[in-house]
């Protein structure tokens, strides 16, 4: 794919979707953006906005006609609290499979968002590879219906599209960055802690989570990766890939970062409140992506590290601290 190619971004009004639209627009591509929500005012000129369902038959027919060079599918129900049922299955599994069929007909590259949550509990505090997603010795598997819907989609894609479709699934770890406010309780825990520290001088953590650790990746690293995957003249092998930093940062370390940033900004200590975890059986105490497969598929991919995450955290804290309290 070359500049001026036509990219369709679904879920374009969401957190990662908004950044995806911006990244492809800045890279010189024609972008069509689709979402059930209206276009964000600051992005209205970055794409041709269509309000509607990504699985609308008319849109699928356009894709099947070959109108788009690449579809970047960010739409879906991302709530880990969503109940199992036909609505979640349609949004996160069946609709995307019809989208994949349309991309196959139109010879359109498909890149879609999966999730690191498919692994559930990791039984060893080591990075997990994509091939281990159903290995009970390595992980528990999904801990909620949302994660189960994502794993089901990945499994169907692996089985149904071994040839004839140029596709890539990316299992995002914990994506964070600016402009995440509208996600509410589904915002990355990192952003939630930084907002609490910057606006109130106090953070709340589950009392069993200080030794927990998670893999964080900045949204700009995600979207740069998306653009490179979409524009590569040597497409990656059709498969599911992890996308994270490949390192886990403990909640104790995050607390120390928040405390330091708050002290530097205000001269005051940060107050930490430990509260009971209401759902320990559904909580991921350790996440970390083995990045070997994507490193081979995209050797020049933008890397994330603990140091780069810490630098981004400082920038995000400064943004939150500069705002008026809610």
């Amino acid at each position: 794919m070359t500049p001026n190619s036509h990219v369709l971004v679904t879920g374009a009004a969401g957190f990662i979707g908004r950044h995806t639209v911006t990244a492809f627009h800045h890279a010189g591509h024609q972008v069509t953006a689709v979402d059930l929500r209206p276009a964000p005012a600051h992005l209205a000129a970055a794409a041709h906005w269509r309000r509607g369902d990504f699985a609308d038959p008319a849109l699928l027919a356009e894709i099947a006609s070959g109108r788009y060079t690449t579809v970047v599918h960010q739409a879906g129900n991302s709530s880990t609290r969503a109940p199992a049922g036909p609505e979640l299955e349609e949004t996160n599994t069946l609709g995307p499979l019809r989208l994949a069929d349309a991309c196959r007909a139109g010879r359109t590259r498909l890149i879609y968002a999966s999730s690191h949550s498919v692994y559930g509990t990791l039984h060893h505090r080591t990075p997990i590879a994509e091939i281990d997603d159903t290995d009970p010795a390595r992980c528990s598997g999904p801990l909620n219906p949302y994660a189960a819907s994502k794993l089901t989609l990945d499994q169907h894609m692996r089985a149904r599209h071994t040839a004839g479709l140029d596709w890539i699934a990316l299992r995002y770890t914990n994506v964070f960055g600016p402009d995440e406010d509208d996600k509410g309780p589904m915002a990355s825990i990192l952003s939630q802690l930084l907002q609490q520290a910057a606006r109130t001088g106090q953070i709340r953590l589950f009392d069993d989570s200080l030794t927990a650790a998670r893999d964080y990746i900045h949204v700009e690293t995600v979207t740069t990766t998306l653009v490179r995957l979409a524009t590569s003249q040597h497409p990656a092998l059709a498969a599911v890939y992890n996308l994270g930093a490949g390192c886990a940062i403990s909640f104790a370390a995050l607390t120390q970062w928040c405390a330091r940033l708050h002290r530097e900004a205000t001269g005051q200590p940060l107050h930490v409140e430990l509260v009971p975890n209401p759902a320990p059986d559904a909580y991921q105490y350790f996440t970390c992506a083995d990045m070997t497969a994507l490193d081979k598929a995209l050797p020049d991919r933008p890397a994330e590290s603990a140091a780069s995450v810490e630098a981004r955290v400082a920038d995000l804290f400064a943004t939150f601290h500069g705002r008026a309290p809610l």
Side-chain angles (χ1 to χ4, degrees), residues 25 45 51 54 62 95 103 106 108 156 175 207 239 246:
H25 173 67
R51 192 169 181 181
F54 72 86
E62 284 186 12
C103 287
T108 301
H156 278 297
V175 184
D207 56 14

Side-chain angles (χ1 to χ4, degrees), residues 259-277:
R260 174 177 52 80
L261 292 166
H262 179 68
R263 184 176 61 253
E264 291 173 352
T266 68
Q268 300 297 317
L270 179 74
H271 295 279
V272 180
E273 180 184 3
L274 299 179
V275 299
N277 187 338

Side-chain angles (χ1 to χ4, degrees), residues 191-204:
S191 293
Q192 292 185 51
L193 292 175
L194 289 170
Q195 285 199 57
Q196 292 173 27
R199 298 178 181 180
T200 71
Q202 177 173 318
I203 63 173
R204 302 178 74 208

Side-chain angles (χ1 to χ4, degrees), residues 53 79 134 138 148 156 170 183 191 222 233 246 254 265 294 321:
D53 190 337
S79 174
T134 57
R138 291 287 288 119
H156 278 297
L170 295 174
K183 291 186 68 177
S191 293
V222 170
Q233 298 303 307
L254 295 183
L294 192 58
H321 192 260

Side-chain angles (χ1 to χ4, degrees), residues 45-310:
H48 169 62
W49 288 85
R50 295 175 54 159
R51 192 169 181 181
D53 190 337
F54 72 86
D56 177 77
L59 179 59
L60 294 182
E62 284 186 12
I63 296 169
S65 74
R67 178 176 178 179
Y68 303 100
T69 312
T70 300
V71 171
V72 182
H73 180 54
Q74 306 283 18
N77 186 335
S78 61
S79 174
T80 57
R81 303 173 184 175
E87 183 176 349
L88 184 65
E89 182 183 29
E90 169 61 28
T91 302
N92 284 6
T93 305
L94 299 181
L97 288 173
R98 294 199 299 277
L99 179 66
D101 290 341
C103 287
R104 182 170 184 161
R107 295 185 172 275
T108 301
R109 184 174 299 181
L110 171 64
I111 306 172
Y112 75 85
S114 184
S115 171
H116 191 82
S117 67
V118 301
Y119 301 111
T121 299
L122 303 191
H123 299 317
H124 311 284
R125 291 176 71 93
T126 56
I128 190 165
E130 299 85 347
I131 60 173
D132 294 329
D133 54 13
T134 57
D135 182 352
R138 291 287 288 119
C139 65
S140 69
L143 298 176
N144 54 62
Y146 161 76
S149 71
K150 288 293 189 179
L151 180 59
T152 299
L153 173 59
D154 291 348
Q155 291 172 330
H156 278 297
M157 289 295 294
R158 285 166 166 166
R160 292 171 55 169
H161 295 290
T162 57
L165 173 63
D166 178 2
W167 67 274
I168 296 167
L170 295 174
R171 286 179 173 166
Y172 302 152
T173 55
N174 294 265
V175 184
F176 75 99
D179 194 26
E180 197 178 350
D181 295 14
D182 62 338
K183 291 186 68 177
M186 291 299 110
S188 65
I189 186 62
L190 183 49
S191 293
Q192 292 185 51
L193 292 175
L194 289 170
Q195 285 199 57
Q196 292 173 27
R199 298 178 181 180
T200 71
Q202 177 173 318
I203 63 173
R204 302 178 74 208
L205 294 169
F206 293 140
D207 56 14
D208 61 353
S209 69
L210 286 177
T211 58
R214 290 185 177 173
D215 185 322
Y216 300 95
I217 185 167
H218 194 268
V219 67
E220 185 177 306
T221 307
V222 170
T223 57
T224 301
T225 303
L226 290 170
V227 171
R228 291 191 184 178
L229 285 169
T231 57
S232 173
Q233 298 303 307
H234 304 286
L237 179 69
V240 177
Y241 295 91
N242 287 332
L243 182 54
C247 61
I249 298 169
S250 71
F251 279 76
L254 295 183
T255 301
Q256 291 177 330
W257 293 354
C258 289
R260 174 177 52 80
L261 292 166
H262 179 68
R263 184 176 61 253
E264 291 173 352
T266 68
Q268 300 297 317
L270 179 74
H271 295 279
V272 180
E273 180 184 3
L274 299 179
V275 299
N277 187 338
D281 292 340
Y283 195 77
Q284 283 187 294
Y285 290 90
F286 183 85
T287 65
C288 192
D290 184 326
M291 294 302 300
T292 303
L294 192 58
D295 284 337
K296 291 180 180 178
L298 193 67
D300 65 340
R301 74 175 182 90
E304 197 79 84
S305 66
S308 66
V309 170
E310 185 174 8

